Amino acid sequence: MSEFDREALFVSKIIQTQKVWGLKSNAGFATLASNEFENEEGQPIPIVCFWSDKKSAVTIKKKHWKNFVPVEISISEFLEKWCVGVYNDELLIGTNIDLKLARLESEPLPLAIKILEGLKNTDVRLHLNSFEDASELEHKIREINAE
């Protein structure tokens, strides 16, 4: 499956269910080191890991993140808090990591734009805390991404 197909599958699934899944412990959410991107010091950029369904998160948890618990995140929270927050922390988002730790490494703002564009063709209404609606959130993300 191509990276484009993997990302499209992640986006379509979370739009359909309006949920994203993470794995959390007392230390925070599950992360990996990037295989593709490095920071200015030549170190791999950390990736915060997310799944489009609970079953996948639980399956990988059993092998790689045994002390973590699956956490449901609304699509609104994922867009507003996680995509923007991960960007502000200069991290990446890893989607649908599998048992071999294969994943798509995404920059958070372009991923958020793809999700918001996908939502335009649905009746899904986002319940946002810091923005009036999805249009305002998309405008702000595009503005930040253009900088």
Side-chain angles (χ1 to χ4, degrees):
M1 182 180 301
S2 74
E3 285 188 11
F4 176 79
D5 292 337
R6 288 180 65 141
E7 185 172 70
L9 182 64
F10 177 82
V11 169
S12 67
K13 179 80 175 194
I14 67 170
I15 288 171
Q16 177 188 359
T17 65
Q18 299 179 42
K19 298 175 189 172
V20 179
W21 291 88
L23 293 175
K24 186 177 180 183
S25 74
N26 291 337
F29 277 76
T31 61
L32 293 170
S34 175
N35 288 330
E36 300 177 37
F37 301 97
E38 296 178 342
N39 62 21
E40 296 83 30
E41 291 85 39
Q43 300 298 316
I45 296 175
I47 300 169
V48 183
C49 305
F50 297 98
W51 292 264
S52 58
D53 62 88
K54 184 177 182 179
K55 181 180 177 187
S56 297
V58 169
T59 299
I60 195 165
K61 167 202 161 346
K62 292 175 184 174
K63 182 173 181 182
H64 296 287
W65 287 288
K66 292 180 179 154
N67 296 324
F68 288 67
V69 295
V71 176
E72 179 182 310
I73 302 164
S74 73
I75 194 169
S76 297
E77 181 182 353
F78 181 70
L79 287 165
E80 192 172 29
K81 178 182 176 187
W82 287 101
C83 289
V84 173
V86 167
Y87 168 79
N88 288 334
D89 292 340
E90 298 181 354
L91 306 173
L92 298 169
I93 291 177
T95 56
N96 288 342
I97 295 89
D98 67 17
L99 288 172
K100 294 180 183 179
L101 299 180
R103 73 276 190 171
L104 179 62
E105 299 181 11
S106 301
E107 293 186 41
L109 297 184
L111 177 61
I113 293 295
K114 288 175 184 166
I115 295 165
L116 288 164
E117 288 174 348
L119 285 167
K120 288 178 184 176
N121 301 321
T122 71
D123 294 332
V124 174
R125 294 230 184 262
L126 298 179
H127 303 285
L128 303 169
N129 294 318
S130 300
F131 299 91
E132 188 173 317
D133 57 23
S135 176
E136 183 183 356
L137 174 59
E138 181 179 356
H139 176 76
K140 183 62 176 175
I141 289 172
R142 286 186 186 281
E143 189 177 272
I144 294 168
N145 204 32
E147 295 175 355

